[in-house]
Amino acid sequence: MLAGPQVHTCHECGMPATAGAYPLTLRHKCIECAALSAVEIPGTAEMTMAPPGSIATGPAWPVAAGVANDGKLWLHQAEALRELEAGKNTVIATATASGKSLIFQLWTLHQATTSLESTALVFYPAKSLANDQTRRWQEAASIIGLPRKTIGKIDGDVKSRPA
């Protein structure tokens, strides 16, 4: 005879436990008891820094001028640009809407306007994000005097030419 799945109950409220066992306590919980109800994160002081001089005085700077505070960027943006300027591979992992796109857009446009050998290939995981970012890239290119058509997009809707 086959045994059915073992049903556990939440050790806090007695409802069916759907969240599994917690490793430290080996107790089961329901989704409501397992979920965090609130997390309070205290505010911190704003941290800004001047970008590298080549960026701040370069042809791509007008793209950032509207968001830069007194010629400064958020600390993570300025530090990432310093790493890129030093020729280092750089990964930026910050919260949504924290200015990651501005980092690579500034750096890419700086390279595009200071080095004839530069080319960039940027991947986005979703078509809606790709459409939004293509529009932003085109606006940024236009701000620094590059034609909007400098920025192109390839997705599943682009027809390929026969060989």
Side-chain angles (χ1 to χ4, degrees):
M1 182 172 195
L2 294 174
Q6 188 175 4
V7 177
H8 296 281
T9 57
C10 175
H11 76 278
E12 290 184 19
C13 71
M15 295 298 292
T18 53
Y22 281 71
L24 297 177
T25 62
L26 297 177
R27 293 182 174 179
H28 295 271
K29 291 187 178 184
C30 69
I31 292 296
E32 284 190 36
C33 292
L36 292 174
S37 58
V39 175
E40 187 173 324
I41 301 172
T44 58
E46 176 180 293
M47 293 189 297
T48 59
M49 175 188 266
S54 66
I55 299 291
T57 60
W61 182 249
V63 172
V67 296
N69 184 12
D70 295 329
K72 295 180 179 179
L73 298 173
W74 294 111
L75 182 63
H76 69 280
Q77 293 171 317
E79 286 183 344
L81 288 166
R82 288 185 196 292
E83 294 294 307
L84 290 166
E85 185 180 53
K88 296 181 181 176
N89 293 326
T90 305
V91 174
I92 298 98
T94 61
T96 300
S98 62
K100 292 180 294 289
S101 295
L102 181 62
I103 296 166
F104 68 82
Q105 286 176 344
L106 265 177
W107 181 250
T108 302
L109 293 169
H110 176 76
Q111 291 296 323
T113 54
T114 59
S115 170
L116 297 177
E117 299 293 319
S118 66
T119 299
L121 182 59
V122 181
F123 293 91
Y124 293 101
K127 194 179 284 192
S128 60
L129 177 60
N131 290 337
D132 178 60
Q133 290 293 315
T134 299
R135 180 186 51 77
R136 290 181 182 202
W137 275 102
Q138 289 172 337
E139 288 171 2
S142 182
I143 287 171
I144 64 170
L146 292 173
R148 289 178 72 90
K149 68 180 182 176
T150 301
I151 307 300
K153 181 181 74 145
I154 299 172
D155 62 21
D157 295 336
V158 174
K159 304 279 188 251
S160 60
R161 291 188 224 168

